[in-house]
Amino acid sequence: MTVHESSPIAALPVLGETALQTYPTATLYVVATPIGNVTDIGLRALHVLGLVDAVACEDTRNTAHLMGRFGISKPLLAAHMHNEREAGETIVRRLQAGERIALVSDAGTPAVSDPGAKIVDAVRAAGLRVVPLPGASAAVAALSASGLVNDQFYFVGFLPAKPKQRDTALGALRNVTATMVFYEAPHRIAEFAQSLVAVFEPTRQVVFARELTKLFEEIHRCPLSEAEAWLAGDAHREKGEFVVLLEGAAAQSDAQEAEAERVLKILLAELPLKQAASIAAQITGAKKNALYDRALALKDENR
């Protein structure tokens, strides 16, 4: 089938079922929008955007353009990170008057590393209803195509832009066993990769997913040791919004952890903290950084 041929589902009666469902008034509809490919928007999302009294959005220009492509025109309310509390108050008043309001961000699911959480919180605090309309999520899209085998993931989102703060934040994640999910801007991706290499083991698998669902989508997986070279290998690889997935730390068994802590406590009674952690690592095979962090915690507990 070519890209211009129609799908057999286009004429199915089920597509009309969106209009037969219940859409209560005095309700906030949290609507996921496309992260790249405009046709990834959901059928219910389109129906609700055409039904509501107004749409609260991160950028009125972007949302107006998206809705215009589907022939939808509705009053737009600015609801971005700088006015989220004020927008929440306005939305609550309008919902209390019996209106339906849709909440969208520029791309993907609102309130997930995007504005919206404060608005949803305000609506719920007022005792009003919130209905999610699921759809595109860059994090989940990247995970689904990564091949990283782990039944857990840890959503981190954007880290601090300043190198020192970023490295500190990454250091705190060193022992997380779940697959870690980061968002990063193109102008910081090279520095971000350098920080990953400096903090984590070079054998960990990393996935760079850029321009997801767009024309130049690229999903690359490699050992962390090869990450900087891959990014530098083509200037185009530092363009577009990124989702970066990092393999989690290898999990230790409970017995191994218990033995490592037993040895650490014995050594701490006789040696300085750093030396005790280093020797405990050599004896038990546990990671020195993890033992050092645990030693700090034990020291605090015994104060």
Side-chain angles (χ1 to χ4, degrees):
M1 186 176 79
T2 70
V3 293
H4 300 293
E5 290 177 333
S6 177
S7 165
I9 70 166
L12 290 179
V14 70
L15 297 184
E17 287 190 13
T18 54
L20 303 178
Q21 297 172 14
T22 300
Y23 301 92
T25 57
T27 298
L28 178 70
Y29 293 87
V30 183
V31 182
T33 56
I35 58 175
N37 191 316
V38 70
T39 60
D40 282 340
I41 195 165
L43 296 175
R44 286 179 68 220
L46 288 174
H47 183 74
V48 165
L49 289 175
L51 180 70
V52 295
D53 297 286
V55 178
C57 52
E58 189 176 359
D59 188 314
T60 56
R61 295 164 300 180
N62 290 344
T63 299
H65 177 71
L66 172 67
M67 293 173 64
R69 295 194 66 179
F70 293 100
I72 301 171
S73 177
K74 291 288 176 176
L76 302 179
L77 309 173
H80 46 73
M81 63 180 295
H82 302 295
N83 77 337
E84 205 169 348
R85 290 197 181 279
E86 295 84 354
E89 293 171 0
T90 299
I91 290 168
V92 166
R93 287 196 297 270
R94 295 187 65 160
L95 293 175
Q96 288 172 333
E99 293 189 7
R100 300 182 184 96
I101 305 288
L103 173 66
V104 303
S105 64
D106 282 349
T109 303
V112 180
S113 206
D114 266 333
K118 292 177 182 177
I119 293 172
V120 173
D121 182 54
V123 171
R124 287 201 169 278
L128 296 162
R129 186 170 180 178
V130 178
V131 173
L133 274 70
S137 166
V140 174
L143 280 165
S144 71
S146 71
L148 293 175
V149 182
N150 194 331
D151 59 0
Q152 296 181 327
F153 70 89
Y154 184 91
F155 181 75
V156 182
F158 287 98
L159 289 174
K162 293 182 178 179
K164 187 175 181 179
Q165 294 175 346
R166 181 173 61 233
D167 290 349
T168 299
L170 287 172
L173 300 171
R174 198 181 286 119
N175 299 311
V176 172
T177 56
T179 297
M180 286 163 275
V181 184
F182 304 91
Y183 286 167
E184 191 52 274
H187 64 279
R188 289 197 299 263
I189 191 64
E191 289 184 1
F192 178 66
Q194 291 172 7
S195 294
L196 289 179
V197 170
V199 173
F200 298 94
E201 304 92 331
T203 54
R204 290 208 197 192
Q205 292 288 304
V206 63
V207 176
F208 294 98
R210 55 178 290 273
E211 296 288 83
L212 285 172
T213 80
K214 299 179 183 177
L215 180 61
F216 298 107
E217 175 183 270
E218 189 169 17
I219 302 173
H220 178 76
R221 175 175 162 178
C222 64
L224 191 52
S225 59
E226 300 174 8
E228 291 177 283
W230 179 78
L231 283 170
D234 187 335
H236 292 290
R237 290 174 184 163
E238 294 186 27
K239 296 180 180 179
E241 298 298 320
F242 279 84
V243 180
V244 180
L245 310 178
L246 182 67
E247 183 181 20
Q252 288 185 309
S253 69
D254 292 342
Q256 286 176 315
E257 290 180 359
E259 175 61 12
E261 181 155 336
R262 185 187 72 82
V263 172
L264 180 62
K265 286 179 178 178
I266 293 172
L267 294 172
L268 281 173
E270 304 293 336
L271 299 171
L273 187 148
K274 188 173 182 179
Q275 188 178 5
S278 178
I279 294 174
Q282 295 177 46
I283 294 172
T284 65
K287 293 182 179 179
K288 183 170 67 175
N289 290 329
L291 288 172
Y292 182 79
D293 292 342
R294 181 56 183 151
L296 285 173
L298 289 170
K299 185 177 179 181
D300 290 339
E301 291 172 6
N302 294 326
R303 282 180 180 175

